[in-house]
Amino acid sequence: MKVILLEDVERLGKRGALLSVADGYGRNFLIPRKLAAPATEANMKLAESQTKKAKIQEAKEEKSATELKAELDQVSLTIPMKAGEGDVLFGSVTSANISELLEEKGYTIDKRRIELDEPIKRLGDHEVTVKLHKNVSGHVKVSVVKE
């Protein structure tokens, strides 16, 4: 069965790709979940126009993410926390804390886009990566100071 992918499908292909798949896989999985459509003439034209629109939208999003990256690279956050011996925090600074502080400064960034390998547990200066787009990442300087 020939199908046109309407969405990116992991291990199968990207949106707009014309593929040949098993009949059952196409009929019972891809088409009902609106991941693909049968490869008819009308569907091929529709998929082509949707692909063009998606590329334009993607370019706009990447451009705005690049502009936001330039602004975020200048942002510095200061977080007062209680600390004990050896500058170890009693709590920790998480991506949710950083997201709240960014929101106070006027940047709405979801906490899931803030990349921390593990929560910050020490005083000092830290550089935190913010994933703005699949191709664009910004950095925010976070200073954790003793309260």
Side-chain angles (χ1 to χ4, degrees), residues 18-145:
L18 177 64
L19 300 171
S20 182
V21 297
D23 290 346
Y25 183 57
R27 219 179 13 255
N28 299 325
F29 182 78
L30 294 174
I31 295 173
R33 288 178 172 79
K34 307 259 189 271
L35 297 173
T40 63
E41 193 71 33
N43 285 343
M44 290 177 82
K45 288 181 183 177
L46 180 65
E48 186 175 313
S49 69
Q50 286 179 344
T51 303
K52 286 180 184 176
K53 287 179 187 176
K55 284 182 182 179
I56 292 169
Q57 182 66 26
E58 181 78 19
K60 286 180 185 177
E61 289 174 1
E62 188 169 354
K63 182 181 178 192
S64 66
T66 305
E67 292 169 359
L68 182 59
K69 175 194 180 300
E71 291 178 28
L72 280 180
D73 286 343
Q74 305 303 316
V75 172
S76 179
L77 302 174
T78 302
I79 304 173
M81 296 286 290
K82 292 184 180 178
E85 295 289 321
D87 293 339
V88 178
L89 300 178
F90 285 128
S92 62
V93 178
T94 62
S95 57
N97 300 113
I98 296 169
S99 177
E100 290 171 11
L101 286 170
L102 284 171
E103 190 140 345
E104 288 174 12
K105 292 215 176 212
Y107 301 101
T108 305
I109 300 200
D110 189 71
K111 67 180 183 180
R112 292 173 290 217
R113 294 193 170 269
I114 297 171
E115 296 178 346
L116 285 175
D117 293 333
E118 56 189 45
I120 299 170
K121 296 185 180 190
R122 293 196 165 271
L123 294 178
D125 296 330
H126 306 275
E127 190 159 297
V128 177
T129 304
V130 180
K131 186 82 170 160
L132 301 170
H133 186 267
K134 66 181 178 183
N135 299 328
V136 181
S137 294
H139 297 283
V140 176
K141 294 171 192 75
V142 177
S143 296
V144 183
V145 296

